Amino acid sequence: MTGVTFTTKGALRKSALRQANERLALDAIRQNPAISRSDLARITGLSPSSVSFIVNRLLRAHLLREEKVGNHSQVGRRPTALYLVREAMLAIGVEISQNESRIALADVHGEILRHKSIPWHANHDILGQRIHAALRSLVEETASQKVLGIGVALPGTIDRNTGRVIAAENLNWLNVDLDALIHGRLTLPFYYENSAKLSALAESWFTEPGQRALRDFVFITPTNGLGTGIITNGHLLQGSSAIGGEFGHVMLYPDGRKCSCGNQGCWEQYGCDAALLRVYAENGGTQDDGAELSPAEVVRRARGGEEAARNTLRQVARDLGLGFVNLVMVFNPEALVVGGYIADAWEFIEDIVWQALRSRAPHYALAGLRVFPSNHATDSSLLGAVALVYSHFFTCFEHDAEGAHSTPVLMHATV
């Protein structure tokens, strides 16, 4: 049975309890399309009469649809299958990146319905204005549909309650009031979180129907620095001031390269996108005239047999493997999930990463460990921003006295 945790003290109001049970039922149906009423009662722990009341209410609200299943000629009452009405619960995700920022309207299963791109601008005021204009346009286009909120992913440390960027070194943003720039007069709720953490959220939230979601894993992304999103026992790891899990800034080499965070030898300096391109240049790789060199291009050249590209991927893979050892020993995850160029180049990287793990971590720490590319490729943090909205809706978040949001809890119920 899946439960709901509330942060407020005292008994719940009747309306709040009803809403919590409705969202519990909706989330179970989201994860198990075509579920029957009896199975819904079993996995939620709600009584059959409560399920019947909730389902009928949600059908009248056009949040659910119900279909008869089975043979018309069969004896007795035909069972019914429950489905979410996708267009009744939509979410908008925003991914802010130095390459380009993206905005997407997506449904409850992570299918992107509309998409907009915003070119990068070093002036955060100008970029914020562009993002706000694109958001306003998208909201106006979907005025007839139900949008639950807007989630924002950013590669840096952000105050999740106010939308103020504390530090995003790779964007050269310090103490930037992002919410003031992009919220404007939009009346939808905004939610903010670090990109790597949201990539992890997307990996757990948008799974295949009936598939068991990961509850203890680390997501590693090399885009805009090297970020890690850590989910332990179904919760995003935040730390006391929401900067927990920054393994990109764990020191790999004490006398290594200077990092933008002020330290030396950070893992980020040896495994991120920029590190890959730097190592490629050091290995003799060249940039074609008129073409902007990218990690994807390095991987493409490696597949084409270019030795400089293959040597680069092998070299970076060794340093990635060292960082993976640290993650395994600290968190004992069931899986390490990789995104960005690491996922794209996994065919060149996998064996070297495992060599580092097996040579440096005890065998019992590797028991059952899986390491694999993300299901969502380059859309991980964008879909994570979408998942952030749904996580607040489905888990029925309560607010504390100051209106602060609770940490996302991943609720999973499977038949």
Side-chain angles (χ1 to χ4, degrees), residues 63 86-91 105-106 142-149 188 390 393:
L63 296 178
R86 291 190 175 197
E87 60 272 19
M89 291 175 286
L90 302 178
L105 177 76
T142 58
S144 62
Q145 297 172 296
K146 176 65 173 178
V147 179
L148 301 177
L188 291 169
Y390 285 123
F393 176 79

Side-chain angles (χ1 to χ4, degrees), residues 325 328-330 332-334 354 357 360-369:
V325 171
V328 168
M329 297 310 299
V330 172
N332 184 32
E334 58 182 312
W354 273 107
L357 286 167
R360 293 175 179 271
H363 66 87
Y364 56 80
L366 303 178
L369 176 71

Side-chain angles (χ1 to χ4, degrees), residues 119-132:
W120 168 255
H121 197 288
N123 185 310
H124 51 70
D125 291 327
I126 294 175
L127 181 63
Q129 291 167 10
R130 290 176 176 176
I131 293 173
H132 173 73

Side-chain angles (χ1 to χ4, degrees), residues 118-174:
I118 300 98
W120 168 255
H121 197 288
N123 185 310
H124 51 70
D125 291 327
I126 294 175
L127 181 63
Q129 291 167 10
R130 290 176 176 176
I131 293 173
H132 173 73
L135 282 172
R136 189 176 64 246
S137 173
L138 185 57
V139 170
E140 290 171 354
E141 291 171 11
T142 58
S144 62
Q145 297 172 296
K146 176 65 173 178
V147 179
L148 301 177
I150 298 172
V152 181
L154 177 122
T157 302
I158 188 166
D159 186 323
R160 295 176 294 128
N161 301 317
T162 66
R164 179 175 290 276
V165 178
I166 299 168
E169 291 91 348
N170 290 301
L171 302 182
N172 199 28
W173 288 9
L174 294 173

Side-chain angles (χ1 to χ4, degrees), residues 170-249:
N170 290 301
L171 302 182
N172 199 28
W173 288 9
L174 294 173
N175 196 30
V176 174
D177 191 349
L178 180 61
D179 186 74
L181 294 175
I182 68 175
H183 199 148
R185 295 183 178 180
L186 294 172
T187 58
L188 291 169
F190 275 65
Y191 307 102
Y192 298 91
E193 187 54 274
N194 169 270
S195 296
K197 292 178 180 178
L198 290 185
S199 292
L201 188 65
E203 198 70 28
S204 185
W205 195 264
F206 295 122
T207 60
E208 293 297 322
Q211 176 183 338
R212 187 188 75 84
L214 296 170
R215 292 184 60 81
D216 290 276
F217 72 99
V218 182
F219 191 103
I220 302 98
T221 174
T223 306
N224 294 301
L226 197 150
T228 49
I230 300 159
I231 290 183
T232 178
N233 194 28
H235 291 70
L236 273 172
L237 185 137
Q238 296 286 7
S240 62
S241 57
I243 63 171
E246 288 285 352
F247 260 73
H249 294 293

Side-chain angles (χ1 to χ4, degrees), residues 37 55 80 174 186 318 390:
R37 294 191 183 205
V55 166
T80 59
L174 294 173
L186 294 172
R318 287 191 289 271
Y390 285 123

Side-chain angles (χ1 to χ4, degrees), residues 231-310:
I231 290 183
T232 178
N233 194 28
H235 291 70
L236 273 172
L237 185 137
Q238 296 286 7
S240 62
S241 57
I243 63 171
E246 288 285 352
F247 260 73
H249 294 293
V250 168
M251 186 170 54
L252 204 62
Y253 298 108
D255 299 316
R257 295 181 60 83
K258 187 74 173 178
C259 183
S260 60
C261 74
N263 200 356
Q264 284 182 262
C266 292
W267 188 25
E268 175 174 295
Q269 293 300 310
Y270 302 90
C272 71
D273 280 359
L276 178 78
L277 298 180
R278 185 193 72 244
V279 173
Y280 181 63
E282 292 170 353
N283 286 335
T286 58
Q287 180 173 332
D288 293 337
D289 291 339
E292 183 178 355
L293 190 61
S294 65
E297 175 62 16
V298 174
V299 176
R300 188 192 68 79
R301 294 180 185 186
R303 288 202 180 98
E306 184 187 281
E307 197 59 28
R310 293 193 170 191

